[in-house]
Amino acid sequence: MATRLKTVAPIPDELAGMSLPGWLYHDPEFFEAEKAAFLRASPQVVCHESEIAEAGEWRSLDYLGESIIVMRGDDREVRAFSNVCRHRGSRLVDGTGGCAKVLTCPYHAWSYARDGKLVGVPHRHEYPDLQTDQLGLKPVALERWRGFLFVRLEDGLPSVAEMMAPYDHEVAPYRFEDLRATGQVVNRPRALNWKTIADNYSDHLHIPIGHPGLTRLFGRSYSVEANEWVDRMEGELREDESSNPSERAYQRLLPRADHLPDTHQRKWLYYKLFPCVAFDIYPDQVDFMQWLPTGPTTSVIREISYALPDAPDYPWRREMKVARYLNWRINRRVNAEDTELISRVQEGMQSPSYEAGPLGVSEVSLRSFAAKVRTFIPEARKPSPPPPGWAKRAG
């Protein structure tokens, strides 16, 4: 006789329609719990492969107290290392990028080849039992995804390819692999908890109120959806022209991008990968943005723009460059508006009077984000912080 399995409905979560409590946005212990639970395992973009096209070129990323180097070797392979000398722990290189034949420590001049191997030790006789093959730079996990290079400090979260798999078909026409940087990385320190920034990125209900320019451009077309690890947002440029000169010029001058389908010729598209990396995708350019946590109430917003190289005889080359400039002007205003808005939120979250508020039915991304945080750290379900020392006991 066959066994009949009884289907058990999932238990509804009473907090599914509620935002996260305020103490999570400033509590030092919760920040430590986040680092252990998922932040160290989160994939973080360092650069595009084209930015380290030649052997010896490197870029760096500072994240959660660690400094990481991504470097191209003589064999053309790209590797990631901890920016720490194996001798006495000195940082090897400073700055955000460069090119080197060897990486030489400024403290005692131990030197490492482009593949991370230890190749130079001054006063070698001081170390009679030294095993140089065991003292190469410590490797850091590296992932290539469509031309972008990601690192992570620990395992624990899906790869970028796995996160973005539901949308891979949509990203493909944008030819990420062929992108080239149009400027330099910009770092903007902010007195904000990283979740304040993350919440705002996927919050569509504030756009008609806080961003009049985006409202003029998109009207009611702005939408949001939540996948397991990625939030997707989009807006379609309106046909009726904006009253703002920069917005109106962008609408008029944005040329056709032959590599994109008709459905995406005038679409602004956004993807936010859990927990703190995003791609802003436009017909004219692609930006990545990270909000790197530096403390319970501090973060660094890191961003840079990329575009496909225009052939010299491309008929709309000038118009595309102008469109990118106008895009920058429009989004510079949006960034300023967001900074003002979320600074007010951060202040409110730190008030003892704040209690978790309700989330609207359409706030699917905020609901999804809150659910993931509660799953990783069950203490996030509590309206106030547990007694001191809870994070260490939970770990």
Side-chain angles (χ1 to χ4, degrees):
M1 180 177 178
T3 302
R4 297 176 66 89
L5 297 179
K6 182 180 180 181
T7 301
V8 179
I11 300 174
D13 186 352
E14 60 184 6
L15 297 179
M18 300 297 293
S19 62
L20 296 171
W23 69 274
L24 274 58
Y25 292 76
H26 59 86
D27 184 78
E29 281 200 69
F30 194 81
F31 180 57
E32 293 302 314
E34 289 175 324
K35 288 194 285 187
F38 56 82
L39 285 179
R40 287 181 59 84
S42 66
Q44 297 299 329
V45 62
V46 178
C47 65
H48 192 272
E49 284 206 74
S50 62
E51 295 174 84
I52 52 171
E54 301 301 324
E57 290 188 314
W58 59 269
R59 293 291 185 272
S60 68
L61 176 72
D62 290 345
Y63 182 58
L64 297 179
E66 302 277 2
S67 181
I68 302 162
I69 308 168
V70 173
M71 188 175 197
R72 191 174 295 276
D74 292 322
D75 58 0
R76 309 302 300 167
E77 285 296 315
V78 177
R79 300 174 179 85
F81 309 107
S82 178
N83 184 16
V84 176
C85 180
R86 296 296 304 278
H87 178 213
R88 295 287 301 282
S90 171
R91 176 175 286 212
L92 287 173
V93 298
D94 298 313
T96 59
C99 186
K101 291 184 177 179
V102 294
L103 300 175
T104 301
C105 178
Y107 197 12
H108 297 98
W110 281 35
S111 298
Y112 303 86
R114 291 167 170 172
D115 60 1
K117 293 179 181 178
L118 178 62
V119 293
V121 179
H123 311 292
R124 180 66 175 77
H125 65 280
E126 296 275 356
Y127 314 95
D129 299 321
L130 190 69
Q131 299 181 36
T132 56
D133 61 335
Q134 302 297 313
L135 290 171
L137 297 178
K138 284 292 183 72
V140 174
L142 175 72
E143 179 185 0
R144 296 175 178 85
W145 178 76
R146 292 198 169 277
F148 286 95
L149 300 171
F150 289 78
V151 295
R152 65 177 73 219
L153 301 176
E154 296 176 2
D155 293 332
L157 290 182
S159 67
V160 175
E162 291 170 325
M163 289 185 177
M164 287 296 296
Y167 302 110
D168 193 69
H169 66 286
E170 186 172 47
V171 172
Y174 287 91
R175 296 169 47 194
F176 276 23
E177 296 86 348
D178 299 327
L179 293 172
R180 297 294 182 268
T182 62
Q184 302 294 320
V185 170
V186 175
N187 292 304
R188 296 187 284 139
R190 292 289 183 263
L192 300 165
N193 179 272
W194 70 272
K195 295 186 294 300
T196 307
I197 306 169
D199 287 344
N200 181 77
Y201 191 91
S202 300
D203 182 336
H204 66 295
L205 292 183
H206 82 281
I207 290 178
I209 301 165
H211 298 307
L214 293 184
T215 303
R216 289 189 293 267
L217 286 174
F218 299 137
R220 296 179 180 274
S221 72
Y222 200 87
S223 63
V224 58
E225 67 182 55
N227 209 295
E228 185 177 9
W229 297 104
V230 176
D231 295 343
R232 177 190 182 279
M233 287 69 65
E234 70 165 47
E236 193 80 21
L237 291 176
R238 296 170 61 167
E239 292 301 322
D240 53 320
E241 293 186 341
S242 169
S243 59
N244 177 275
S246 293
E247 297 160 8
R248 184 169 62 252
Y250 182 81
Q251 290 174 299
R252 289 179 177 177
L253 292 175
L254 180 63
R256 179 179 177 81
D258 293 334
H259 59 287
L260 297 180
D262 290 342
T263 54
H264 286 59
Q265 288 294 328
R266 298 177 71 80
K267 188 185 295 295
W268 283 20
L269 189 61
Y270 307 85
Y271 293 105
K272 186 185 81 174
L273 287 65
F274 181 83
C276 47
V277 171
F279 283 94
D280 302 348
I281 306 176
Y282 313 98
D284 47 294
Q285 66 184 54
V286 174
D287 305 344
F288 79 65
M289 186 171 100
Q290 297 157 287
W291 35 99
L292 301 173
T294 55
T297 58
T298 57
S299 302
V300 171
I301 297 176
R302 181 174 181 263
E303 56 192 352
I304 183 175
S305 296
Y306 298 86
L308 292 175
D310 294 330
D313 58 347
Y314 186 68
W316 301 106
R317 188 166 187 255
R318 181 181 179 188
E319 284 81 353
M320 189 64 84
K321 287 187 175 182
V322 174
R324 290 169 189 153
Y325 170 73
L326 294 168
N327 182 319
W328 173 80
R329 283 183 60 91
I330 294 166
N331 278 301
R332 183 178 63 172
R333 181 67 249 168
V334 173
N335 289 340
E337 291 164 349
D338 274 332
T339 298
E340 169 64 23
L341 291 169
I342 60 180
S343 294
R344 300 167 74 93
V345 172
Q346 183 66 44
E347 292 175 0
M349 290 292 184
Q350 294 177 219
S351 169
S353 67
Y354 177 72
E355 298 177 356
L359 293 173
V361 175
S362 70
E363 295 183 282
V364 291
S365 293
L366 297 183
R367 287 170 175 250
S368 174
F369 180 79
K372 280 195 280 289
V373 173
R374 293 185 188 112
T375 299
F376 278 110
I377 309 174
E379 287 79 7
R381 302 178 64 86
K382 297 181 179 296
S384 58
W390 68 266
K392 290 183 179 180
R393 293 192 294 270

